């Protein structure tokens, strides 16, 4: 019986390899997000702000969360100026569980159940491990990791009840390979990938599950978060624009991709590099020679 199961598995693997090759030539059509309630955290600046613009332009009901009220309002004004529906703005520190649950209830009452949750807010102190303070390390974990648990606590139950929804999280290339000067940040972004992979597995316990997950790992983005980047191959792998990254994130969400890097080639490169002998892996890293200098110097 096990041999039979194993043979079936071979056919399934072969079938899905063919399917993914087919999808390289005939990509999945993006789903419409018109009228969907999309909650994005960290919409006052950078990638989150661009995501708010793009979902508003696509006809979604956008809910903007940021700790910075002024910047969040500026995002809303820009959306109105561009001729789209005014988003619903809330001040919320996503690292504060009580606040997330309270503001989450307000959103449910005032706007409705969130269909697409985009956990984007994040911080990135950049210096050698021993120069990180305890407070910094805890703050990185609170905002970049624990906040995801609180927004899931606020919005996943309704998604489960409706058996419909999509959870998107921002990890990073620093969550695929460890990057010097970013020990706590890299740890937080690896944690996000672990959280999302496990959540997806748990959702699959329900054989009819329709709730999707997307984890996004961008290379360095020109938002100011990454203060002192250095890149070897400036032509091929330069800092990405937040517009481009938001476009890729929305596309990945709307086509139901589970995990992407931006640019996409970095995911297979990362996986294949890990198959190499350790010393060869180091040589690959030295060849790419890109990273971040300390923000304390
Ligand atoms: N910029 C990059 O190079 C890069 C690369 C890979 C991944 N990322 C990830 O993308 C996400 C967005 O990054 P960005 O470059 O747009 O950052 P950004 O600094 O430009 O914007 C982050 C926004 O989040 C808000 N925010 C911070 N702490 C918050 C909190 N506790 N509660 C609510 N809002 C809070 C800030 O006010 C700001 O508006 C982050 O998770 C980051 O780790 C960024």
């Amino acid at each position: 019986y096990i041999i039979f199961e194993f043979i079936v598995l071979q056919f399934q693997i072969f079938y899905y390899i063919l399917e993914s090759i087919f999808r390289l030539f005939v990509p999945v059509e993006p789903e419409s997000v018109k009228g969907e309630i999309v909650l994005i955290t960290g919409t006052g600046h950078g990638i989150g702000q661009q995501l708010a613009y793009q979902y508003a332009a696509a006809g979604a009901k956008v809910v903007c969360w940021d700790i910075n009220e002024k910047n969040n309002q500026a995002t809303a004004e820009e959306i109105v100026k561009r001729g789209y529906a005014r988003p619903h703005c809330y001040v919320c520190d996503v690292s504060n569980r009580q606040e997330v649950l309270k503001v989450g209830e307000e959103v449910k009452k005032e706007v409705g159940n969130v269909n697409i949750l985009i956990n984007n807010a994040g911080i990135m102190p950049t210096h050698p491990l021993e120069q990180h303070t305890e407070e910094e390390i805890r703050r990185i974990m609170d905002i970049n990791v624990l906040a995801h648990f609180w927004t899931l606590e606020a919005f996943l139950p309704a998604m489960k009840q409706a058996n419909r929804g999509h959870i998107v999280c921002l990890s990073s290339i620093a969550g695929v390979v460890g990057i010097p000067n970013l020990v706590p940040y890299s740890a937080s972004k690896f944690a996000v990938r672990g959280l999302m992979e496990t959540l997806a597995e748990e959702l699959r316990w329900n054989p009819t599950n329709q709730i999707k997950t997307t984890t996004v790992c961008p290379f360095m983005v020109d938002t100011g978060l990454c203060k002192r980047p250095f890149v070897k191959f400036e032509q091929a792998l330069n800092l990405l624009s937040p517009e481009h990254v938001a476009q890729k994130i929305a596309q990945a969400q709307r086509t139901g991709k589970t995990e992407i890097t931006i640019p996409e080639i970095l995911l297979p490169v990362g996986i294949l590099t890990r198959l190499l002998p350790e010393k060869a892996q180091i040589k690959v890293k030295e060849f790419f020679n890109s990273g971040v200098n300390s923000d304390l110097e």
Side-chain angles (χ1 to χ4, degrees):
Y1 187 68
I2 289 176
I3 290 177
F4 174 72
E5 270 190 15
F6 187 70
I7 292 169
V8 170
L9 175 65
Q10 304 311 304
F11 276 106
Q12 287 168 327
I13 291 171
F14 186 63
Y15 173 81
Y16 287 117
I17 288 174
L18 286 184
E19 188 191 69
S20 62
I21 293 171
F22 172 72
R23 284 292 169 209
L24 288 178
F25 299 101
V26 188
V28 176
E29 277 293 309
E31 268 179 24
S32 165
V33 289
K34 206 162 192 280
E36 300 285 339
I37 300 178
V38 183
L39 188 148
I40 307 160
T41 68
T43 38
H45 196 260
I47 300 167
Q49 182 181 59
Q50 294 296 329
L51 281 167
Y53 296 162
Q54 292 187 19
Y55 277 95
K61 279 189 195 162
V62 178
V63 181
C64 291
W65 277 18
D66 205 289
I67 198 169
N68 184 323
E69 183 171 15
K70 198 167 141 254
N71 285 357
N72 212 21
Q73 287 302 336
T75 300
E77 291 311 325
E78 177 62 24
I79 287 174
V80 172
K81 213 169 102 191
R82 292 184 185 196
Y84 308 118
R86 180 178 285 279
H88 303 261
C89 290
Y90 296 85
V91 177
C92 184
D93 175 356
V94 291
S95 67
N96 181 332
R97 176 172 172 270
Q98 292 308 328
E99 202 171 311
V100 168
L101 298 181
K102 189 176 126 266
V103 182
E105 280 308 314
E106 288 170 26
V107 170
K108 281 183 221 170
K109 276 200 207 100
E110 293 163 11
V111 192
N113 283 333
V114 170
N115 308 117
I116 301 169
L117 166 65
I118 307 184
N119 281 316
N120 161 79
I123 57 166
M124 186 175 130
T126 310
H127 25 269
L129 177 59
E130 56 281 12
Q131 287 178 25
H132 282 79
T133 62
E134 176 192 348
E135 198 195 335
E136 255 175 344
I137 294 171
R138 290 191 188 280
R139 192 95 188 114
I140 292 169
M141 289 301 160
D142 275 341
I143 299 175
N144 294 7
V145 187
L146 293 184
H148 296 222
F149 289 98
W150 316 143
T151 56
L152 286 170
E153 184 178 349
F155 301 115
L156 187 58
M159 287 187 189
K160 280 195 163 176
Q161 207 165 21
N163 193 19
R164 184 169 179 277
H166 202 133
I167 295 145
V168 181
C169 279
L170 264 290
S171 175
S172 165
I173 280 300
V176 180
V177 289
I179 297 179
N181 277 329
L182 291 176
V183 175
Y185 179 83
S186 263
S188 77
K189 294 300 180 180
F190 268 85
V192 166
R193 286 180 71 215
L195 184 168
M196 290 294 279
E197 182 169 322
T198 316
L199 177 65
E201 286 303 302
E202 206 169 286
L203 288 170
R204 280 199 314 110
W205 273 351
N206 172 5
T208 59
N209 171 56
Q210 295 297 324
I211 301 169
K212 295 177 189 163
T213 62
T214 300
T215 309
V216 186
C217 309
F219 183 70
M220 294 184 276
V221 190
D222 193 9
T223 62
L225 183 78
C226 196
K227 288 182 199 70
R228 298 186 57 217
F230 58 91
V231 185
K232 181 170 165 192
F233 300 110
E234 286 190 359
Q235 295 299 322
L237 198 65
N238 209 346
L239 292 204
L240 304 162
S241 78
E243 292 93 321
H244 171 75
V245 170
Q247 211 172 15
K248 289 285 177 190
I249 294 170
Q251 191 188 31
Q253 182 272 313
R254 293 176 61 183
T255 55
K257 287 202 175 147
T258 310
E259 183 165 63
I260 62 154
T261 53
I262 309 173
E264 292 196 41
I265 186 73
L266 293 181
L267 191 59
V269 169
I271 293 168
L272 290 175
T273 304
R274 282 202 191 262
L275 296 177
L276 297 173
E278 223 175 290
K279 286 178 186 162
Q281 288 187 32
I282 291 170
K283 290 297 161 201
V284 173
K285 283 179 193 164
E286 286 172 0
F287 174 73
F288 278 103
N289 189 31
S290 300
V292 281
N293 289 313
S294 171
D295 54 10
L296 295 178
E297 278 163 20

